[in-house]
């Protein structure tokens, strides 16, 4: 009996002590910082709480439909999430998927979820993909630029 | 994998396939997405007009026609465009670098006649890659495009062994800076997708676009099931062969200008 009491007493005292001395310590449970699109007018494809819980179901469903049936208009496209959710910070830097600043990784790191999607999928919108090592010939790039500029001065 | 494949077993028994094709005025093919908006193109069979929310079906069968007489030895415009489109980078090891298109030279043994041509996935109707795949990752989409569902590919590479055209590559390296429209990563097999994202969005494959933009005009893309498409008309008037037609795979990629 005394043994039981002793065992019990320690955590209880500790708890009381904590609450009395630093009440804020308990309130400050660390939460992940989730970056929301800076354009306030944007809305997610479904209500926020629904997205928090079920985003994986939507993307995985969309994945199979796109691969096998060629359905491309669904808002649940992974490319679509990335286009909306990933943007540069104030310094113009864009967080990669390994960073806890990347939208998809912020919660995942916190909740110890590991996904392999970004081994293949781009983690940022196309306009921010810097493909230094790409293999197209210089002439190809030049032609592309010329084609892009065609008609500009007309 | 070797870099050049020489084959001489080609037969012409497919010459008169699609013989039912109706004659229609030829439509000049404009590069890329421009076609999308023209009313003429809508029914032409030169691009997909399937709404985005409708499943692919066997109403269409997408194919390529390559005129080897217009394809210049040494020209790699289609290969460059493909690499750019799919974010394929060289690691300086040609044996294992991913290649969706290779330029090869075919030599006819009896005559010595040589032709240069791009060889990519031939988009077989009865695809050996799909037959041997243990997970169902290799499949042929209803509209004739042979694909790898990399989500279920386990990287076993049976399909690479089965493919008579050596059209597939295995990704040996971690990949970075992929194109948003062309996800690819280590440990899976891949090959020409006929630029399926472009097709689904009413575009034409990057290789055909580049070949046309450079005025080589050696490649035509279109619907083999639509008798009014440029590709069907060209096939009807001049015929077209399937490489290794002896295997009876009914490929979606056809060639003109190859000798017996």
């Amino acid at each position: 009996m005394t043994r039981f009491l002793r065992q019990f007493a320690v955590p209880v005292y500790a708890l009381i002590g904590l609450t009395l001395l630093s009440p804020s310590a308990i309130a400050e449970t660390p939460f992940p910082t989730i970056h929301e699109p800076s354009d306030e007018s944007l809305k997610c494809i479904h209500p926020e709480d629904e997205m928090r819980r079920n985003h994986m179901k939507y993307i995985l469903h969309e994945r199979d439909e796109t691969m096998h049936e060629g359905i491309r208009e669904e808002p649940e496209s992974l490319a679509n999430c990335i286009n909306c959710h990933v943007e540069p910070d104030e310094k113009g830097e864009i967080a990669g998927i390994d960073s806890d600043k990347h939208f998809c990784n912020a919660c995942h790191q916190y909740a110890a979820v590991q996904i392999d999607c970004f081994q293949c999928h781009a983690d940022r919108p196309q306009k921010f993909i810097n493909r230094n090592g790409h293999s197209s010939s210089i002439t190809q790039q030049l032609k592309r630029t010329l084609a892009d500029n065609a008609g500009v001065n007309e | 994998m070797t870099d050049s494949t020489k084959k001489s077993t080609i037969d012409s028994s497919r010459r008169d396939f699609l013989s039912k094709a109706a004659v229609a005025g030829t439509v000049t093919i404009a590069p890329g997405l421009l076609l999308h908006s023209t009313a003429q193109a809508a029914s032409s069979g030169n691009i997909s007009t399937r709404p985005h929310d409708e499943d692919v079906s066997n109403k269409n069968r997408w194919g390529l026609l390559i005129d080897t007489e217009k394809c210049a030895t040494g020209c790699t415009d289609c290969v460059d465009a493909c690499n750019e489109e799919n974010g394929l980078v060289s690691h300086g090891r040609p044996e294992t670098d991913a290649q969706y298109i290779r330029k090869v030279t075919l030599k006819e043994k009896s005559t010595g006649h040589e032709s240069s041509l791009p060889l990519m996935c031939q988009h077989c109707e009865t695809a050996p890659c799909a037959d041997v795949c243990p997970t169902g990752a290799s499949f042929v989409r209803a509209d004739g495009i042979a694909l790898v569902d990399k989500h279920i590919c386990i990287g076993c590479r049976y399909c690479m062994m089965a493919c008579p055209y050596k059209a597939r590559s295995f990704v040996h390296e971690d990949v970075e800076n992929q194109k948003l429209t062309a996800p690819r990563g280590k440990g899976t097999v891949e090959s020409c997708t006929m630029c399926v994202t472009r097709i689904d969005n009413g575009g034409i494959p990057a290789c055909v676009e580049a070949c046309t933009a450079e005025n080589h005009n050696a490649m035509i893309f279109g619907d083999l099931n639509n008798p009014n498409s440029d590709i069907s008309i060209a096939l009807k008037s001049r015929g077209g062969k399937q490489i290794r037609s002896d295997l009876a795979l009914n490929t979606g990629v056809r060639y003109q200008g190859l000798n017996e």
Side-chain angles (χ1 to χ4, degrees), chain A residues 63 67-73 83 119-122 126 129-131 133-137 140 143, chain B residues 50 52 55-56 80 83-84 87-89 139 141 148-149 151 177-180 183-185 197 200 214:
Chain A
R63 178 182 85 179
M67 275 306 317
H68 296 267
E69 320 293 349
I71 305 286
R72 299 236 174 228
E73 206 161 48
N83 270 331
Q119 283 174 19
C120 290
H121 286 271
Q126 192 65 51
I129 298 173
N130 173 13
R131 300 190 52 250
H134 71 58
S135 60
S136 76
S137 65
Q140 194 75 25
K143 283 174 206 151
Chain B
R50 176 178 59 90
H52 277 176
D55 287 5
V56 284
D80 293 346
N83 290 347
E84 175 66 21
L88 307 183
V89 283
F139 69 104
R141 216 170 74 158
V148 181
D149 183 343
H151 305 106
N177 296 327
Q178 293 92 328
K179 299 291 278 264
L180 197 59
R184 51 191 302 269
T197 32
D200 286 348
E214 297 307 315

Side-chain angles (χ1 to χ4, degrees), chain B residues 181-194:
Chain B
T181 48
R184 51 191 302 269
K186 187 173 169 176
T188 51
V189 174
E190 57 185 14
S191 55
C192 159
T193 64
M194 226 190 263

